[in-house]
Amino acid sequence: MSIPKEATQIFLRACPTGFINPKFNEADSTFEIKQVPIPPLKDGEVLVKTLYLSNDPTQRTWLKKAGDSTPSYLPPVHEGTPMASFGIAEVVDSKSYKYVKGNVVLGRLYWADYAVLPDTVIFNKVDAKAWLPLEYYLSVLGMTTLTAYFGLTKVAELKNDDSGKGKIVLVSAAAGAVGSSVVQIAKHLLGASKVIGIASSDEKCQWIESLGADLGVNYKTKDWQKQIDDYLAKDDEGVDVYFDCVGGEMLSYALTKMNKFGHIALCGCIAAYNDPSALVVTTLFYAITKRLTLKGFIVDDFVAEFGEVLPVLADAIKDGKLKAEGSYHVEELTGHSITQRLEEIPAIWNLLFKGDKPKGKLLTKVA
């Protein structure tokens, strides 16, 4: 592969105060697209060609105005800098002792066709010749499934032994990349007796039930809370573990259904990423009266254990306990030019916040 002289990259033009505008060349466009020259590599840098991009709600929290240094667990994307994403890329050129030309790598990339990156933002090499499709490394064997596993086992203390048996697990955004993994891991690997998933459509509820959920509830129906109330009341039960991806109203409700000494793993607040007022929790007093443990986490907290858990997840796929089929959805770029193709990326990402995202992990195929 010849070394390109320039890259086409999407930059954060203006940090939005609410929802993004995924369109280009408008007065309030969130992003802009530029052609930038590719400079000679410095020591420790690689030139990569983007293959797949991961679409994640947390990317919304990365967007910052120029000069905003508010602390965050990941580097921000400031106005005037390239938009970032987790993804898979091929190394086209390298001055890093860690990676060589031809390596396929997983890391924090740009919304771009090519980019020069420090090797410190690359997590690891991917065995592109293994039996696993590349998409698996951003979905069923990616950060989202690791998030589900560690959130259940380390944060919510649902262990892979007898302690998990008889437990009832509730998960929000259950048809999403993390949530659908929570359903399967809790039910098939950790022995939860019942798993209840909250999703955004009847179709998605049916899908998570096919994955192992005992009950799927569509939160867009008026009586979604009553459906869960009635299900739990049948056997006079409560929730032992709540895996929260949403925050706000759903967290407020879940607090009222917890058993004493239950655990809540705080994974995300998707309800508030575009509207901070939706983060309000009105029932926190239940955390005191029921002596609950609420703990926030990010998957990087457990990076030292990734190596020992990935084989466990790979074995679960082979054994049919963790379904790869349907665990991701790929959107392919269709424009005639590279600029037209890349301009489709923000609208694909924005599906995460519109409530009509496809099931499973949403990926964008760039090349």
Side-chain angles (χ1 to χ4, degrees):
M1 181 184 296
S2 60
I3 305 301
K5 295 182 179 180
E6 67 175 17
T8 305
Q9 300 178 347
I10 294 176
F11 286 69
L12 177 61
R13 174 181 173 272
C15 184
T17 56
F19 285 88
I20 70 163
N21 177 2
K23 297 180 180 179
F24 288 79
N25 302 313
E26 296 185 352
D28 62 345
S29 291
T30 302
F31 303 104
E32 59 185 344
I33 197 160
K34 299 179 182 180
Q35 278 70 43
V36 297
I38 294 176
L41 295 182
K42 301 175 183 176
D43 288 341
E45 289 185 334
V46 292
L47 171 64
V48 299
K49 177 182 180 180
T50 308
L51 303 178
Y52 288 90
L53 294 173
S54 172
N55 296 284
D56 300 287
T58 190
Q59 291 169 259
R60 178 62 182 83
T61 69
W62 300 351
L63 307 187
K64 304 289 184 184
K65 290 188 175 296
D68 183 350
S69 57
T70 304
S72 178
Y73 69 89
L74 283 172
V77 176
H78 283 125
E79 291 173 336
T81 64
M83 180 60 187
S85 172
F86 297 124
I88 293 175
E90 179 183 355
V91 176
V92 177
D93 196 13
S94 175
K95 289 197 71 174
S96 164
Y97 70 90
K98 299 178 182 178
Y99 307 102
V100 299
K101 181 179 179 180
N103 282 163
V104 176
V105 296
L106 179 67
R108 194 172 192 249
L109 313 179
Y110 293 155
W111 284 0
D113 57 351
Y114 294 93
V116 172
L117 302 172
D119 61 17
T120 53
V121 302
I122 294 175
F123 307 142
N124 56 268
K125 288 183 283 188
V126 171
D127 185 357
K129 297 181 180 179
W131 66 273
L132 302 172
L134 288 181
E135 295 93 331
Y136 281 24
Y137 295 96
L138 289 175
S139 56
V140 71
L141 281 180
M143 302 292 271
T144 49
T145 303
L146 289 167
T147 299
Y149 185 89
F150 288 114
L152 287 169
T153 59
K154 296 292 188 177
V155 180
E157 299 184 12
L158 194 66
K159 304 300 183 183
N160 190 11
D161 54 26
D162 289 342
S163 66
K165 295 179 180 178
K167 302 293 186 182
I168 295 178
V169 176
L170 174 67
V171 54
S172 57
V178 173
S180 60
S181 294
V182 169
V183 168
Q184 297 175 82
I185 292 170
K187 190 70 175 182
H188 304 310
L189 273 67
L190 304 179
S193 62
K194 293 179 182 177
V195 177
I196 303 168
I198 304 170
S200 62
S201 72
D202 292 342
E203 179 190 2
K204 290 178 180 178
C205 288
Q206 293 171 4
W207 179 62
I208 61 174
E209 288 176 356
S210 76
L211 298 178
D214 297 275
L215 175 68
V217 176
N218 179 359
Y219 73 83
K220 292 186 178 181
T221 58
K222 292 181 179 180
D223 67 340
W224 70 270
Q225 294 182 4
K226 185 177 184 300
Q227 292 179 49
I228 299 175
D229 292 345
D230 292 345
Y231 182 80
L232 292 171
K234 286 190 301 183
D235 296 311
D236 192 25
E237 294 172 319
V239 174
D240 298 294
V241 170
Y242 174 49
F243 197 107
D244 184 36
C245 303
V246 176
E249 179 187 4
M250 286 190 190
L251 177 56
S252 297
Y253 168 72
L255 282 163
T256 71
K257 308 312 297 182
M258 299 297 295
N259 286 327
K260 287 181 180 178
F261 306 107
H263 289 76
I264 296 179
L266 300 172
C267 174
C269 300
I270 192 172
Y273 289 161
N274 293 295
D275 179 12
S277 67
L279 188 59
V280 174
V281 176
T282 59
T283 59
L284 198 57
F285 187 64
Y286 281 85
I288 300 171
T289 59
K290 296 192 176 186
R291 280 81 92 195
L292 304 177
T293 299
L294 288 76
K295 186 175 181 180
F297 76 102
I298 58 172
V299 70
D300 286 358
D301 297 338
F302 310 102
V303 67
E305 300 175 63
F306 283 7
E308 62 187 75
V309 171
L310 283 172
V312 173
L313 298 177
D315 286 343
I317 294 173
K318 292 179 181 179
D319 294 340
K321 296 179 179 179
L322 193 57
K323 293 184 179 180
E325 183 180 354
S327 67
Y328 61 88
H329 173 87
V330 178
E331 289 282 339
E332 296 195 27
L333 306 181
T334 60
H336 295 295
S337 68
I338 185 59
T339 296
Q340 290 174 336
R341 290 196 293 275
L342 294 183
E343 284 181 344
E344 297 169 9
I345 293 174
I348 295 171
W349 176 57
N350 201 38
L351 291 173
L352 297 173
F353 306 104
K354 295 172 61 179
D356 55 358
K357 161 188 113 54
K359 301 185 298 290
K361 180 69 181 181
L362 180 60
L363 304 178
T364 301
K365 185 176 181 180
V366 178

